[in-house]
Amino acid sequence: MTWQEFIRTESQQDYFLKLQAFLEDERQKFVIHPKENEVFQAFELTPIEQVKVVILGQDPYPTPGHTHGLAFSVAPDVRPIPKSLQNIFKEIHQNFGGETPENGNLTRWTKQGVLLINTVLTVRSGEANSHAGRGWERFTDAVIEQLNAQDQVMAFMLWGKNAQSKTRFLNHPKHLILQAPHPSPLSAYRGFFGCEHFRLANQWLEKYGLPQIDW
């Protein structure tokens, strides 16, 4: 099943129809991020058969101009880079060394098989977590179940409690499950720094003879 087929099937479910009605109402009253045509960007850029790493966060950045449909990623011209993403880059530097990226666009990861999604795919501008409990969680539950059923090797990075709630859907022996606090400034020092998820994911891929991710 392709992501397009998966989304089409889910969009016919009652919960998703209610979610769509909610989003239509929200877009009439508020500014919603990301843009409507970018909500499923992660699935368009990383086909299910190419997924090697799944990074799961909470919800999109509520700051105008920041989110473009990929968890933690921002457009190349966004300055300063959001604190959560700065912390991600710090952890990558700790794992591998090297130069810090010049911008926060993570599209280069998606082309290597990294699926960048949140547990909730939309947010009201300026109001973090404002679309929680409206149906996206059920959709991303189904996404994780679909990924778990795939036989290709995957590493799952679950950051924060919302993301870690998905572990109940992961039981495939070929999949590596990595959990850590969210990389936000509020929680990064509680265990995100030093988690070594990027190094561990690459080791897991190498174990199965797969190309490692160039983080």
Side-chain angles (χ1 to χ4, degrees), residues 56 119 137 140-141 144 162-170:
L56 190 59
T119 57
E137 293 90 346
T140 49
D141 283 352
I144 299 301
N162 290 13
Q164 289 163 16
S165 70
K166 307 292 190 188
T167 55
R168 65 189 187 278
F169 301 115
L170 296 170

Side-chain angles (χ1 to χ4, degrees), residues 151-171:
D151 205 38
Q152 72 253 31
V153 175
M154 296 182 201
F156 288 82
M157 301 183 189
L158 310 177
W159 298 339
K161 291 181 180 177
N162 290 13
Q164 289 163 16
S165 70
K166 307 292 190 188
T167 55
R168 65 189 187 278
F169 301 115
L170 296 170
N171 58 15

Side-chain angles (χ1 to χ4, degrees), residues 132-194:
R134 294 291 184 167
W136 279 128
E137 293 90 346
R138 184 165 168 183
F139 175 79
T140 49
D141 283 352
V143 169
I144 299 301
E145 286 187 288
Q146 193 68 27
L147 289 164
N148 182 65
Q150 304 303 305
D151 205 38
Q152 72 253 31
V153 175
M154 296 182 201
F156 288 82
M157 301 183 189
L158 310 177
W159 298 339
K161 291 181 180 177
N162 290 13
Q164 289 163 16
S165 70
K166 307 292 190 188
T167 55
R168 65 189 187 278
F169 301 115
L170 296 170
N171 58 15
H172 197 300
K174 279 191 177 179
H175 301 334
L176 174 66
I177 303 170
L178 301 168
Q179 301 183 59
H182 195 277
S184 76
L186 296 174
S187 55
Y189 287 94
R190 298 177 191 158
F192 178 78
F193 289 134

Side-chain angles (χ1 to χ4, degrees), residues 24-197:
E24 286 173 14
D25 185 59
E26 284 282 286
R27 289 188 189 280
Q28 289 177 7
K29 297 175 181 176
F30 307 100
V31 175
I32 304 303
H33 307 310
K35 297 174 184 175
E36 195 167 1
N37 65 342
E38 293 178 332
V39 172
F40 297 110
Q41 179 92 311
F43 303 96
E44 294 168 10
L45 293 176
T46 311
I48 192 167
E49 69 275 8
Q50 294 177 19
V51 176
K52 294 192 294 185
V53 177
V54 180
I55 294 181
L56 190 59
Q58 179 176 291
D59 66 338
Y61 296 120
T63 308
H66 274 202
T67 189
H68 62 129
L70 303 177
F72 299 104
S73 180
V74 292
D77 58 346
V78 171
R79 295 291 187 280
I81 293 174
K83 291 286 178 58
S84 293
L85 185 52
Q86 288 183 36
N87 289 339
I88 289 169
F89 287 158
K90 286 177 184 177
E91 178 61 20
I92 291 172
H93 180 76
Q94 284 295 112
N95 284 204
F96 304 109
E99 297 294 321
T100 300
E102 293 180 0
N103 66 65
N105 191 319
L106 304 180
T107 302
R108 64 187 183 278
W109 293 359
T110 69
K111 295 175 181 177
Q112 299 177 73
V114 181
L115 184 68
L116 295 166
I117 57 172
N118 289 299
T119 57
V120 172
L121 300 189
T122 57
V123 68
R124 193 182 295 172
S125 185
E127 297 183 42
N129 227 23
S130 50
H131 284 182
R134 294 291 184 167
W136 279 128
E137 293 90 346
R138 184 165 168 183
F139 175 79
T140 49
D141 283 352
V143 169
I144 299 301
E145 286 187 288
Q146 193 68 27
L147 289 164
N148 182 65
Q150 304 303 305
D151 205 38
Q152 72 253 31
V153 175
M154 296 182 201
F156 288 82
M157 301 183 189
L158 310 177
W159 298 339
K161 291 181 180 177
N162 290 13
Q164 289 163 16
S165 70
K166 307 292 190 188
T167 55
R168 65 189 187 278
F169 301 115
L170 296 170
N171 58 15
H172 197 300
K174 279 191 177 179
H175 301 334
L176 174 66
I177 303 170
L178 301 168
Q179 301 183 59
H182 195 277
S184 76
L186 296 174
S187 55
Y189 287 94
R190 298 177 191 158
F192 178 78
F193 289 134
C195 70
E196 299 195 340
H197 282 189

